[in-house]
Amino acid sequence: MNPASELRLRDIATSAVLTVVPDLPLRNAIQLFVDAQVSCLVVTEDVDRPVGIITERDLLRLVCAGYAEDKPVRSIMSAPLLTVREDMDFSSAQALLANRAVRHLVLVDEAGKLRGVASETDFRRHLGHDLFKAIHCLGAVMDPSPDMVPPEQPLARSLELMASTRRDHLVIGREGRALGIITERDVPRLMASQVIPERLTIGDVMSHPLYTVGPDITVAEAARRMGEAGLRHLVVLDDGGRMLAVISQHRLLERLGVVMMEESRSRLENTLDVVLE
């Protein structure tokens, strides 16, 4: 596996991208999310020219605002589309993700034709667990979650909370005891099942039992377990079983990007010192 400093987006990205045409009905796009278990769909014209994207976050906003299943994809896709060249290096790509507050980069060639998509999960998979050893403090990758959502809270209110605060998860429980979780990944499933959020509680649809870890776990081990379990979140419990925080894939990559930038700056400063000396 290449060192992170040598990685290019072409090494990280998924080349077998699931694409849809702008006129595809929304109901069909939602079902594709569920069947293929993907985090985005790229909207293309002329076979391989990307013009938009639909992500799980887009669907979350949509389910809160209300939608018609027969609407075409073009009416709800995110556009204009942010595209990048496939030879972009890892550090620049990670900085772009952070600066633009996006979680997918669409790769194109010189002619503007689709070449792949790089998601946060693709970044984590290709970096290797050892690289995360550079992050020594677990607290740097933990999201101190706000108060847990009680299981009896209406689903509609819970989804609106996620959308308005741009949170990609909610932990469900009470009195410090976590019972379940709901994430952006659950949204396509809920939409495909045609649930009526006003008639259900968050406890009715939460994922459980939770995958939990202790506060003594290393960052590298957390990344390894996340990969093995196919998860983007790990709930951290204290010795008494009470929730302390949540380790998120997004925060892992965000912190790793900072560490790599600091290391690059340090190497540059050392080189400059030698030259000056």
PDB file of all heavy atoms in Angstrom, residues 220-236:
ATOM      1  N   ALA A 220      -5.987   3.853  16.059  1.00  0.00           N
ATOM      2  CA  ALA A 220      -5.756   2.869  15.004  1.00  0.00           C
ATOM      3  C   ALA A 220      -6.684   1.669  15.152  1.00  0.00           C
ATOM      4  O   ALA A 220      -7.223   1.155  14.174  1.00  0.00           O
ATOM      5  CB  ALA A 220      -4.295   2.417  15.014  1.00  0.00           C
ATOM      6  N   GLU A 221      -6.886   1.218  16.384  1.00  0.00           N
ATOM      7  CA  GLU A 221      -7.781   0.088  16.615  1.00  0.00           C
ATOM      8  C   GLU A 221      -9.226   0.479  16.313  1.00  0.00           C
ATOM      9  O   GLU A 221      -9.992  -0.330  15.777  1.00  0.00           O
ATOM     10  CB  GLU A 221      -7.654  -0.382  18.060  1.00  0.00           C
ATOM     11  CG  GLU A 221      -8.596  -1.516  18.463  1.00  0.00           C
ATOM     12  CD  GLU A 221      -8.359  -2.809  17.711  1.00  0.00           C
ATOM     13  OE1 GLU A 221      -7.321  -2.935  17.030  1.00  0.00           O
ATOM     14  OE2 GLU A 221      -9.219  -3.708  17.806  1.00  0.00           O
ATOM     15  N   ALA A 222      -9.601   1.701  16.647  1.00  0.00           N
ATOM     16  CA  ALA A 222     -10.951   2.167  16.330  1.00  0.00           C
ATOM     17  C   ALA A 222     -11.176   2.161  14.827  1.00  0.00           C
ATOM     18  O   ALA A 222     -12.233   1.732  14.344  1.00  0.00           O
ATOM     19  CB  ALA A 222     -11.171   3.565  16.902  1.00  0.00           C
ATOM     20  N   ALA A 223     -10.178   2.618  14.056  1.00  0.00           N
ATOM     21  CA  ALA A 223     -10.292   2.625  12.594  1.00  0.00           C
ATOM     22  C   ALA A 223     -10.398   1.198  12.063  1.00  0.00           C
ATOM     23  O   ALA A 223     -11.166   0.922  11.128  1.00  0.00           O
ATOM     24  CB  ALA A 223      -9.095   3.338  11.976  1.00  0.00           C
ATOM     25  N   ARG A 224      -9.649   0.280  12.654  1.00  0.00           N
ATOM     26  CA  ARG A 224      -9.687  -1.111  12.210  1.00  0.00           C
ATOM     27  C   ARG A 224     -11.064  -1.727  12.451  1.00  0.00           C
ATOM     28  O   ARG A 224     -11.633  -2.376  11.563  1.00  0.00           O
ATOM     29  CB  ARG A 224      -8.633  -1.930  12.947  1.00  0.00           C
ATOM     30  CG  ARG A 224      -8.502  -3.369  12.457  1.00  0.00           C
ATOM     31  CD  ARG A 224      -7.580  -4.183  13.336  1.00  0.00           C
ATOM     32  NE  ARG A 224      -8.169  -4.425  14.648  1.00  0.00           N
ATOM     33  CZ  ARG A 224      -9.084  -5.366  14.886  1.00  0.00           C
ATOM     34  NH1 ARG A 224      -9.528  -6.133  13.912  1.00  0.00           N
ATOM     35  NH2 ARG A 224      -9.564  -5.542  16.109  1.00  0.00           N
ATOM     36  N   ARG A 225     -11.606  -1.513  13.644  1.00  0.00           N
ATOM     37  CA  ARG A 225     -12.921  -2.073  13.962  1.00  0.00           C
ATOM     38  C   ARG A 225     -14.012  -1.460  13.099  1.00  0.00           C
ATOM     39  O   ARG A 225     -14.958  -2.131  12.689  1.00  0.00           O
ATOM     40  CB  ARG A 225     -13.230  -1.854  15.445  1.00  0.00           C
ATOM     41  CG  ARG A 225     -12.315  -2.615  16.380  1.00  0.00           C
ATOM     42  CD  ARG A 225     -12.881  -2.632  17.783  1.00  0.00           C
ATOM     43  NE  ARG A 225     -11.931  -3.137  18.746  1.00  0.00           N
ATOM     44  CZ  ARG A 225     -12.209  -3.323  20.034  1.00  0.00           C
ATOM     45  NH1 ARG A 225     -13.415  -3.026  20.499  1.00  0.00           N
ATOM     46  NH2 ARG A 225     -11.294  -3.778  20.864  1.00  0.00           N
ATOM     47  N   MET A 226     -13.874  -0.183  12.822  1.00  0.00           N
ATOM     48  CA  MET A 226     -14.852   0.495  11.980  1.00  0.00           C
ATOM     49  C   MET A 226     -14.876  -0.158  10.601  1.00  0.00           C
ATOM     50  O   MET A 226     -15.947  -0.400  10.020  1.00  0.00           O
ATOM     51  CB  MET A 226     -14.480   1.980  11.881  1.00  0.00           C
ATOM     52  CG  MET A 226     -15.617   2.910  11.551  1.00  0.00           C
ATOM     53  SD  MET A 226     -15.085   4.649  11.646  1.00  0.00           S
ATOM     54  CE  MET A 226     -15.265   4.945  13.397  1.00  0.00           C
ATOM     55  N   GLY A 227     -13.684  -0.454  10.077  1.00  0.00           N
ATOM     56  CA  GLY A 227     -13.593  -1.082   8.772  1.00  0.00           C
ATOM     57  C   GLY A 227     -14.142  -2.492   8.768  1.00  0.00           C
ATOM     58  O   GLY A 227     -14.866  -2.891   7.855  1.00  0.00           O
ATOM     59  N   GLU A 228     -13.803  -3.269   9.788  1.00  0.00           N
ATOM     60  CA  GLU A 228     -14.256  -4.655   9.854  1.00  0.00           C
ATOM     61  C   GLU A 228     -15.779  -4.756   9.973  1.00  0.00           C
ATOM     62  O   GLU A 228     -16.403  -5.647   9.386  1.00  0.00           O
ATOM     63  CB  GLU A 228     -13.603  -5.364  11.045  1.00  0.00           C
ATOM     64  CG  GLU A 228     -12.134  -5.708  10.826  1.00  0.00           C
ATOM     65  CD  GLU A 228     -11.576  -6.527  11.980  1.00  0.00           C
ATOM     66  OE1 GLU A 228     -12.275  -6.667  13.007  1.00  0.00           O
ATOM     67  OE2 GLU A 228     -10.444  -7.037  11.847  1.00  0.00           O
ATOM     68  N   ALA A 229     -16.368  -3.852  10.745  1.00  0.00           N
ATOM     69  CA  ALA A 229     -17.813  -3.897  10.973  1.00  0.00           C
ATOM     70  C   ALA A 229     -18.598  -3.144   9.898  1.00  0.00           C
ATOM     71  O   ALA A 229     -19.825  -3.218   9.861  1.00  0.00           O
ATOM     72  CB  ALA A 229     -18.142  -3.318  12.347  1.00  0.00           C
ATOM     73  N   GLY A 230     -17.898  -2.430   9.013  1.00  0.00           N
ATOM     74  CA  GLY A 230     -18.590  -1.663   7.983  1.00  0.00           C
ATOM     75  C   GLY A 230     -19.395  -0.523   8.554  1.00  0.00           C
ATOM     76  O   GLY A 230     -20.492  -0.209   8.079  1.00  0.00           O
ATOM     77  N   LEU A 231     -18.851   0.140   9.602  1.00  0.00           N
ATOM     78  CA  LEU A 231     -19.558   1.214  10.292  1.00  0.00           C
ATOM     79  C   LEU A 231     -18.853   2.544  10.089  1.00  0.00           C
ATOM     80  O   LEU A 231     -17.661   2.594   9.776  1.00  0.00           O
ATOM     81  CB  LEU A 231     -19.649   0.912  11.792  1.00  0.00           C
ATOM     82  CG  LEU A 231     -20.403  -0.357  12.189  1.00  0.00           C
ATOM     83  CD1 LEU A 231     -20.255  -0.599  13.688  1.00  0.00           C
ATOM     84  CD2 LEU A 231     -21.873  -0.257  11.807  1.00  0.00           C
ATOM     85  N   ARG A 232     -19.591   3.622  10.316  1.00  0.00           N
ATOM     86  CA  ARG A 232     -19.005   4.961  10.287  1.00  0.00           C
ATOM     87  C   ARG A 232     -18.984   5.594  11.677  1.00  0.00           C
ATOM     88  O   ARG A 232     -18.470   6.695  11.839  1.00  0.00           O
ATOM     89  CB  ARG A 232     -19.803   5.866   9.349  1.00  0.00           C
ATOM     90  CG  ARG A 232     -19.903   5.371   7.921  1.00  0.00           C
ATOM     91  CD  ARG A 232     -20.763   6.312   7.101  1.00  0.00           C
ATOM     92  NE  ARG A 232     -21.252   5.693   5.887  1.00  0.00           N
ATOM     93  CZ  ARG A 232     -22.206   6.201   5.133  1.00  0.00           C
ATOM     94  NH1 ARG A 232     -22.781   7.349   5.481  1.00  0.00           N
ATOM     95  NH2 ARG A 232     -22.610   5.586   4.043  1.00  0.00           N
ATOM     96  N   HIS A 233     -19.571   4.914  12.669  1.00  0.00           N
ATOM     97  CA  HIS A 233     -19.647   5.454  14.028  1.00  0.00           C
ATOM     98  C   HIS A 233     -19.423   4.345  15.048  1.00  0.00           C
ATOM     99  O   HIS A 233     -19.909   3.226  14.867  1.00  0.00           O
ATOM    100  CB  HIS A 233     -21.019   6.095  14.295  1.00  0.00           C
ATOM    101  CG  HIS A 233     -21.394   7.161  13.316  1.00  0.00           C
ATOM    102  ND1 HIS A 233     -21.985   6.865  12.096  1.00  0.00           N
ATOM    103  CD2 HIS A 233     -21.266   8.506  13.369  1.00  0.00           C
ATOM    104  CE1 HIS A 233     -22.191   7.991  11.445  1.00  0.00           C
ATOM    105  NE2 HIS A 233     -21.778   8.994  12.183  1.00  0.00           N
ATOM    106  N   LEU A 234     -18.689   4.668  16.101  1.00  0.00           N
ATOM    107  CA  LEU A 234     -18.519   3.776  17.244  1.00  0.00           C
ATOM    108  C   LEU A 234     -18.910   4.552  18.498  1.00  0.00           C
ATOM    109  O   LEU A 234     -18.451   5.682  18.697  1.00  0.00           O
ATOM    110  CB  LEU A 234     -17.063   3.307  17.369  1.00  0.00           C
ATOM    111  CG  LEU A 234     -16.459   2.523  16.196  1.00  0.00           C
ATOM    112  CD1 LEU A 234     -14.982   2.247  16.459  1.00  0.00           C
ATOM    113  CD2 LEU A 234     -17.215   1.228  15.958  1.00  0.00           C
ATOM    114  N   VAL A 235     -19.732   3.955  19.339  1.00  0.00           N
ATOM    115  CA  VAL A 235     -20.164   4.603  20.578  1.00  0.00           C
ATOM    116  C   VAL A 235     -19.201   4.223  21.694  1.00  0.00           C
ATOM    117  O   VAL A 235     -18.915   3.041  21.908  1.00  0.00           O
ATOM    118  CB  VAL A 235     -21.599   4.188  20.942  1.00  0.00           C
ATOM    119  CG1 VAL A 235     -22.020   4.809  22.273  1.00  0.00           C
ATOM    120  CG2 VAL A 235     -22.572   4.624  19.836  1.00  0.00           C
ATOM    121  N   VAL A 236     -18.685   5.233  22.382  1.00  0.00           N
ATOM    122  CA  VAL A 236     -17.716   5.014  23.461  1.00  0.00           C
ATOM    123  C   VAL A 236     -18.446   5.006  24.802  1.00  0.00           C
ATOM    124  O   VAL A 236     -19.151   5.967  25.138  1.00  0.00           O
ATOM    125  CB  VAL A 236     -16.636   6.114  23.464  1.00  0.00           C
ATOM    126  CG1 VAL A 236     -15.582   5.813  24.541  1.00  0.00           C
ATOM    127  CG2 VAL A 236     -15.979   6.233  22.090  1.00  0.00           C
TER     128      VAL A 236
END
